[in-house]
Amino acid sequence: MGDMTKTEAGTGTGRRVSEARERLLRTAGQLFYAEGIHTVGVDRLVAEAKVTNATFYRHFRSKEDLAVAYIGSVDQAIRNQIDSLTAADVPTDGILRGIGASLVEQIRSPGYRGCAFLNAAAEFPDPDNPVHRAVVQHREWFLQTITGLFTEIAAAQAEHAGRHFVMLRDGAMSAGYLGDRVLTGETLQRGIDGLLRIHTARGLDERAASASGQASSAATTVSGIECSPPST
């Protein structure tokens, strides 16, 4: 967007065109998430964003191109959230719990309709489709980021812990839309707490083995993870 504004600033329209693009993207984000990408046509996007067809196609070659930008905007929002957590003076387990808390907040928010990425992938199942590829790229980054955080706690089975976390996240995002949002949030947080408890124990084992000059022992048995809310 910055390059575009610089290019068109000499015409006196750079700011106006930039704002139009943002309105289109914001409108698309609201409609695509609430109703689905295929359901919303270009005419409606143009009308609700209060722009012309010419403005739309000046910024996006097609509705699919806009859908890719929509996925990119959701991806960037999540990156910003995680960057804020990692920039704060918070221990690694606190960052992972903070990510979980953000997911719970999203699940319980008004208008929640499941995971934007999973929804988009369901609408564009072809692996070669640009929208599908954008979803996969986000998920690869998210898994790598979560795995990296678990590695800071303990290298042993960090990849397994990362995949486990992402699966907890995926399940909660779906269950929160289809079922009880409060119970789903509690279950997610308890699952993350249990996963962190076990993985932290692995880290303690690693450090103890390193301090004693012994090879790291086999992975700690995963037990005691309570993935359901307490009985009432």
Side-chain angles (χ1 to χ4, degrees):
M1 185 177 74
D3 291 343
M4 178 190 67
T5 302
K6 291 178 183 177
T7 300
E8 300 184 359
T11 68
T13 61
R15 176 178 172 79
R16 185 161 59 252
V17 172
S18 174
E19 289 176 348
R21 183 186 188 282
E22 289 306 304
R23 278 205 311 278
L24 274 166
L25 189 54
R26 185 167 56 251
T27 301
Q30 294 167 351
L31 295 177
F32 286 169
Y33 181 71
E35 301 179 24
I37 298 171
H38 287 320
T39 303
V40 181
V42 171
D43 288 344
R44 185 176 173 197
L45 288 165
V46 166
E48 298 208 15
K50 295 181 172 59
V51 299
T52 64
N53 280 316
T55 298
F56 178 94
Y57 288 108
R58 184 180 301 131
H59 297 294
F60 303 102
R61 292 168 297 179
S62 64
K63 190 180 78 170
E64 186 176 274
D65 192 33
L66 176 57
V68 172
Y70 153 64
I71 292 298
S73 69
V74 181
D75 167 75
Q76 189 59 55
I78 294 173
R79 289 175 187 258
N80 291 343
Q81 288 177 342
I82 295 179
D83 285 345
S84 296
L85 287 168
T86 55
D89 187 18
V90 178
T92 303
D93 65 329
I95 294 172
L96 288 162
R97 286 191 172 91
I99 294 171
S102 178
L103 291 169
V104 171
E105 182 180 359
Q106 181 181 352
I107 289 169
R108 295 178 181 176
S109 65
Y112 176 71
R113 192 178 171 275
C115 172
F117 299 99
L118 296 179
N119 291 347
E123 289 196 76
F124 296 87
D126 181 357
D128 294 325
N129 183 274
V131 178
H132 191 100
R133 289 202 304 267
V135 171
V136 171
Q137 288 169 3
H138 165 78
R139 289 179 62 80
E140 289 175 346
W141 165 80
F142 187 72
L143 175 58
Q144 290 171 2
T145 299
I146 297 299
T147 301
L149 291 168
F150 275 107
T151 301
E152 293 180 15
I153 298 172
Q157 297 197 49
E159 185 177 350
H160 168 81
R163 291 197 304 269
H164 194 156
F165 187 102
V166 173
M167 289 185 69
L168 284 171
R169 178 255 180 219
D170 288 348
M173 295 292 275
S174 297
Y177 175 55
L178 296 170
D180 188 308
R181 299 181 184 184
V182 173
L183 292 179
T184 296
E186 291 176 356
T187 302
L188 174 62
Q189 289 180 312
R190 288 169 67 84
I192 291 173
D193 285 344
L195 181 58
L196 281 168
R197 185 169 64 249
I198 297 302
H199 199 68
T200 298
R202 292 190 184 112
L204 294 174
D205 288 346
E206 283 183 356
R207 288 188 285 276
S210 177
S212 63
Q214 299 175 356
S216 179
S217 61
T220 304
T221 301
V222 178
S223 61
I225 297 181
E226 300 176 6
C227 290
S228 59
S231 302
T232 57

